[in-house]
């Protein structure tokens, strides 16, 4: 028994490996839709009827052979056919009798459903044949349901090739279901509970794999779900994962563009209000939307004016952009060894300088004296010949503080043209789309699926390009770790 389980598992894993190989062999330009479609095809290939046990292969062969001759006899005698007489004639043992009858009946069912429909006449004939073969009513009803479910599944998969079920297709499904006393909804619930969920997930994934979900697509999707009679909570459960992925995709695109379009914001809002019931996640997404919008303003050079902070005496006409707690660390290699200076205080960033006030020490750096800056996981590293060289981190609003300071430095030195400079490192939507799919919406380093950013493998400043081969997906944490190494 344990061995059989093991064998099953190994067969399963072979299939999984095979699928993975197929997927990785596809080139990066293959759209995700293709993969999802393949999933559907595999799904139908699996079939829904039980795979006949091959344990007693000899008996199987015998029953098949008997069913073959009985079938011929049935065709020859038609209305004159009698199962008892045929059993005797061909020497079928009592033990094989019901299995042979079933096999013959299954053959009739398969022929009937070949065109994916069943006429009233066919229903009559089947019922008569079942009587002739002496199959119990329960068994007949079970076989009828299985055959109808098979036809139902084939129509369903064909219908969903375009991701939606139109009225004609819905009518066909309902007719098939009715042949064994089901509705589309009860058919789905009885035979396709798990597969239905996979199917809905697959349809949603296909709609959203381009990182967008058009209004019409969402409408069509809901219509399909409704046609299938899948309840809303089941639908929500089915698409929870791809919906989160879509949200992360939209956010990563927005981060890359350093702005969030009205459309993107609409998609996010509607997804959040419709789909996500996880309040922590909703809060995270709302914060990310606000942050991206805020950053977009800053990147455009629209720095916020905060009035005069009490920590610093500003000069006439000086504008303060930021004030908040800061931690300053400077490590120096002296002849006496390494010396680390640490300072916790308050920072004020203005249009001309950075001011740090701590209890026992205060200093300021003019933006113009700064020779270079670089973001690392420790904070913003500032190079300067004078005072203030070191690493700054901001316990509150660190991203905001970094961005404000960076933009303020650029403006004071006029090294950054306020808009447009980023174009040289702009990754096109097409490239991002392919990269997203190549990494399956996950960080290439740690596999995280949130806080994702499109990253230049070789930085643009070092000659890296914006093409597929130089772009990867990293989560924010791994992205910062990477900048430590460069
Ligand atoms: Zn990561």
């Amino acid at each position: 028994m344990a061995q059989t389980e093991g064998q099953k598992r190994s067969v399963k894993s072979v299939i999984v490996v095979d699928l993975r190989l197929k997927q990785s062999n596809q080139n990066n330009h293959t759209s995700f839709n293709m993969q999802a479609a393949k999933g559907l095809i595999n799904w139908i290939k699996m079939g829904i009827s039980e795979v006949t046990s091959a344990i007693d292969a000899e008996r199987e062969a015998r029953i098949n052979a008997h069913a073959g001759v009985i079938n011929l006899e049935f065709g020859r005698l038609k209305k004159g056919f009698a199962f008892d007489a045929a059993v005797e004639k061909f020497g079928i043992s009592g033990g094989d009798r019901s299995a042979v009858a079933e096999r013959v009946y299954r053959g009739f069912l398969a022929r009937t459903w070949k065109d994916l429909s069943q006429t009233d006449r066919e229903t009559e004939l089947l019922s008569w044949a079942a009587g002739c073969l002496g199959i119990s009513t329960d068994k007949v009803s079970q076989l009828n349901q299985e055959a109808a479910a098979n036809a139902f599944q084939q129509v369903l998969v064909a219908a969903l090739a375009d991701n939606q079920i139109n009225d004609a297709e819905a009518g066909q499904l309902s007719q098939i279901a009715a042949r064994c006393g089901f509705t589309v909804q009860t058919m789905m619930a009885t035979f396709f509970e798990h597969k239905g969920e996979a199917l809905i997930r697959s349809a949603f994934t296909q709609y959203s794999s381009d990182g967008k979900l058009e209004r019409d697509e969402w409408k069509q999707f809901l219509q399909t779900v409704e046609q299938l009679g899948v309840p809303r909570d089941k639908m929500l459960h089915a698409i929870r994962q791809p919906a989160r992925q879509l949200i992360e995709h939209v956010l990563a695109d927005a981060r890359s563009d350093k702005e969030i379009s009205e459309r993107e914001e609409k998609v996010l809002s509607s997804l959040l209000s419709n789909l996500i019931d996880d309040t922590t996640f909703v809060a995270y997404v709302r914060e990310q939307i606000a942050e991206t919008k805020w950053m977009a303003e800053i990147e455009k050079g629209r720095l916020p004016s905060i009035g005069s902070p009490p920590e610093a005496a500003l000069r006439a006409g000086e504008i303060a952009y930021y004030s908040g707690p800061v931690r300053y660390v400077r490590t120096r290699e002296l002849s006496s060894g390494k010396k680390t200076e640490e300072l916790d205080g308050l920072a004020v960033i203005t249009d001309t300088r950075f001011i740090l006030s701590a209890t026992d020490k205060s200093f300021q750096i003019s933006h113009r004296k700064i020779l270079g800056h670089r973001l690392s996981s420790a904070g913003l590293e500032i190079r300067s010949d004078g005072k203030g060289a070191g690493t700054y981190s901001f316990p509150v609003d660190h991203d905001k503080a970094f961005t404000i300071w960076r933009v303020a430095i650029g403006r004071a030195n006029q090294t950054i043209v306020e808009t447009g400079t980023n174009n040289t490192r702009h990754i096109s939507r097409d490239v991002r789309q392919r990269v997203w799919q190549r990494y399956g919406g996950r960080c290439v380093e740690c596999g995280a699926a949130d806080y994702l950013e499109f990253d230049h493998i070789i930085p643009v400043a070092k000659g890296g390009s914006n093409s597929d081969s130089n772009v990867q997906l990293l989560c924010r944490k791994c992205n910062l770790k990477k900048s430590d190494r460069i």
Side-chain angles (χ1 to χ4, degrees):
M1 195 59 194
Q3 206 180 3
T4 317
E5 279 300 313
Q7 279 164 351
K8 269 187 203 159
R9 258 197 304 278
S10 75
V11 168
K12 225 175 179 179
S13 62
V14 166
I15 294 168
V16 170
V17 168
D18 187 41
L19 280 175
R20 282 200 187 140
L21 275 177
K22 272 188 194 150
Q23 284 180 356
S24 64
N25 283 341
Q26 285 171 348
N27 73 42
N28 298 330
H29 299 251
T30 309
S31 74
F32 186 76
N33 283 10
M34 278 302 294
Q35 289 180 25
K38 277 194 180 151
L40 278 182
I41 291 162
N42 284 329
W43 179 67
I44 188 173
K45 278 186 184 158
M46 278 186 257
I48 58 141
S49 45
E50 271 173 52
V51 177
T52 321
S53 149
I55 290 169
D56 190 349
E58 202 178 305
R59 180 170 189 256
E60 270 298 302
R62 191 173 68 238
I63 285 169
N64 268 336
H66 285 326
V69 291
I70 294 288
N71 197 30
L72 283 174
E73 187 77 349
F74 216 131
R76 195 172 65 82
L77 298 174
K78 297 196 176 67
K79 295 264 173 194
F81 175 83
F83 191 47
D84 286 341
V87 163
E88 187 140 340
K89 179 175 170 187
F90 297 110
I92 296 168
S93 75
D96 288 348
R97 204 189 138 103
S98 65
V100 171
E102 257 183 62
R103 191 65 49 90
V104 173
Y105 187 71
R106 276 183 199 272
F108 291 157
L109 277 170
R111 256 174 280 160
T112 304
W113 282 111
K114 213 171 170 186
D115 60 353
L116 301 176
S117 73
Q118 192 183 110
T119 61
D120 289 344
R121 173 88 188 119
E122 285 169 333
T123 311
E124 262 173 51
L125 282 170
L126 280 170
S127 157
W128 168 75
C132 280
L133 292 164
I135 305 170
S136 75
T137 4
D138 281 357
K139 192 70 198 175
V140 169
S141 134
Q142 183 210 324
L143 294 174
N144 284 350
Q145 284 178 9
E146 278 178 20
N150 250 319
F152 185 93
Q153 173 168 306
Q154 287 182 53
V155 171
L156 189 59
V157 170
L160 281 171
D162 62 352
N163 265 324
Q164 52 178 312
I165 293 179
N166 60 35
D167 290 344
E169 291 159 343
Q172 202 184 349
L173 286 172
S174 137
Q175 266 176 19
I176 294 173
R179 285 293 171 191
C180 58
F182 281 121
T183 62
V184 171
Q185 191 170 352
T186 53
M187 187 68 128
M188 286 297 293
T190 310
F191 286 94
F192 304 102
E193 207 192 339
H194 300 293
K195 282 169 184 167
E197 196 168 296
L199 201 65
I200 287 167
R201 191 178 303 120
S202 155
F204 181 84
T205 307
Q206 287 186 59
Y207 278 130
S208 62
S209 65
D210 57 356
K212 295 182 284 189
L213 185 67
E214 306 292 348
R215 217 176 144 160
D216 283 352
E217 292 178 325
W218 177 239
K219 242 168 89 182
Q220 278 169 9
F221 171 75
L222 288 182
Q223 218 167 14
T224 298
V225 169
E226 202 189 315
Q227 299 270 37
L228 294 177
V230 176
R232 191 179 162 81
D233 61 324
K234 287 247 163 69
M235 179 273 284
L236 290 182
H237 183 259
I239 65 169
R240 174 182 304 238
Q241 202 47 39
R244 274 180 178 241
Q245 270 228 315
L246 174 60
I247 288 172
E248 291 293 351
H249 195 163
V250 174
L251 283 175
D253 270 337
R255 282 179 200 123
S256 177
D257 285 334
K258 294 198 190 294
E259 68 176 355
I260 191 157
S261 71
E262 213 174 298
R263 244 209 62 79
E264 284 169 333
E265 205 183 337
K266 258 189 196 155
V267 169
L268 288 173
S269 297
S270 90
L271 280 172
L272 286 181
S273 55
N274 276 300
L275 303 179
I276 310 291
D277 44 9
D278 174 345
T279 48
T280 320
F281 184 72
V282 172
Y284 150 75
V285 176
R286 296 226 183 274
E287 180 201 296
Q288 288 296 302
I289 295 172
E291 192 187 301
T292 309
K293 285 170 87 170
W294 191 91
M295 291 289 191
E297 289 297 299
I298 305 293
E299 292 287 349
K300 283 177 192 149
R302 295 187 198 127
L303 291 159
S305 169
I306 57 160
S308 195
E311 298 89 20
L314 299 191
R315 303 174 187 128
E318 191 173 10
I319 307 160
Y321 296 141
Y322 179 86
S323 105
V326 66
R327 180 170 178 78
Y328 168 74
V329 179
R330 185 186 191 189
T331 306
R332 274 179 295 177
E333 300 281 352
L334 300 176
S335 49
S336 52
K338 235 183 205 174
K339 195 186 166 213
T340 301
E341 183 188 356
E342 288 178 8
L343 220 51
D344 287 295
L346 280 160
V348 175
I349 303 169
T350 77
D351 55 341
T352 54
R353 57 189 170 142
F354 175 94
I355 307 158
L356 187 149
S357 329
T359 31
D360 48 346
K361 190 179 177 181
S362 293
F363 64 82
Q364 55 168 309
I365 333 161
S366 160
H367 297 329
R368 286 169 180 273
K369 294 267 170 64
I370 291 171
L371 300 174
H373 55 79
R374 193 175 79 98
L375 201 57
S376 75
S377 60
L380 191 64
E381 284 170 30
I382 293 288
R383 279 192 298 119
S384 113
D385 350 323
K387 239 180 271 169
T391 301
Y392 295 79
S393 57
F394 300 84
V396 183
D397 282 346
H398 50 284
D399 285 340
K400 284 186 183 180
F402 292 153
T403 309
I404 289 176
W405 197 2
R406 193 167 50 73
V407 172
I409 291 168
R411 290 186 72 173
N413 293 295
Q414 296 190 330
T415 49
I416 297 173
V417 182
E418 276 141 32
T419 50
T421 324
N422 286 325
N423 287 345
T424 55
R425 35 173 294 131
H426 180 259
I427 303 163
S428 77
R429 207 190 148 85
D430 282 357
V431 171
R432 290 200 307 245
Q433 174 61 14
R434 290 193 291 268
V435 169
W436 181 272
Q437 267 157 29
R438 190 163 78 221
Y439 296 106
R442 292 188 172 274
C443 170
V444 65
E445 291 289 338
C446 73
D450 55 353
Y451 268 105
L452 295 168
E453 294 171 333
F454 291 97
D455 170 64
H456 290 91
I457 297 171
I458 300 166
V460 174
K462 296 192 173 168
S465 76
N466 291 314
S467 65
D468 293 42
S469 56
N470 192 45
V471 177
Q472 63 183 359
L473 259 188
L474 283 180
C475 74
R476 188 168 290 182
K477 230 162 88 189
C478 291
N479 205 357
L480 282 173
K481 266 191 222 153
K482 180 191 165 190
S483 60
D484 291 349
R485 292 194 302 264
I486 290 179

